[in-house]
Amino acid sequence: MIYSQFQAHQPFDNRFAGARGLLMFAAGIAVLALGLILLPLLFLAAAISTLVLATFGRQWLKGKLAARQASHDGSAFGRFRFDDSFQPRPHQGRTFDHDPAD
């Protein structure tokens, strides 16, 4: 029964026939061709920008780090940050548990 329905009425005949179908086919081919042409250019741009960032980004960061260290050399922040005189208090034998019911 299903076979006879498709023999009598082709559902795709009206949808892809004539100038409209040909125009959609040409548009699809154009999109595919444009994608294949532009994709290597996109990869090339990504590779060039990665190389530029890897080359000059390190120098830029090095300059920023040197400027930041120069501004913090005499400040209290610089002394506090690199001070190794911290001594932890000895354990006093108490344990504090968190009880969500309280």
Side-chain angles (χ1 to χ4, degrees), residues 4-99:
S4 64
Q5 285 177 345
F6 281 108
Q7 286 293 327
H9 175 55
Q10 296 288 336
F12 297 116
D13 278 348
N14 296 333
R15 192 176 296 174
F16 297 114
R20 184 173 152 190
L22 197 58
L23 185 66
M24 292 307 290
F25 176 74
I29 294 294
V31 165
L32 286 173
L34 198 61
L36 288 175
I37 290 170
L38 291 180
L39 195 60
L41 296 176
L42 181 70
F43 287 155
L44 183 65
I48 289 172
S49 63
T50 303
L51 286 173
V52 166
L53 234 119
T55 304
F56 298 112
R58 178 178 286 191
Q59 293 174 355
W60 181 76
L61 281 175
K62 202 181 285 185
K64 286 286 188 182
L65 184 62
R68 186 177 184 139
Q69 285 178 347
S71 69
H72 288 301
D73 275 344
S75 69
F77 175 76
R79 287 192 307 269
F80 173 73
R81 184 169 178 163
F82 300 109
D83 189 16
D84 290 335
S85 64
F86 173 73
Q87 297 292 329
R89 290 186 296 173
H91 181 64
Q92 297 176 355
R94 294 185 304 224
T95 304
F96 297 99
D97 292 332
H98 172 67
D99 189 8

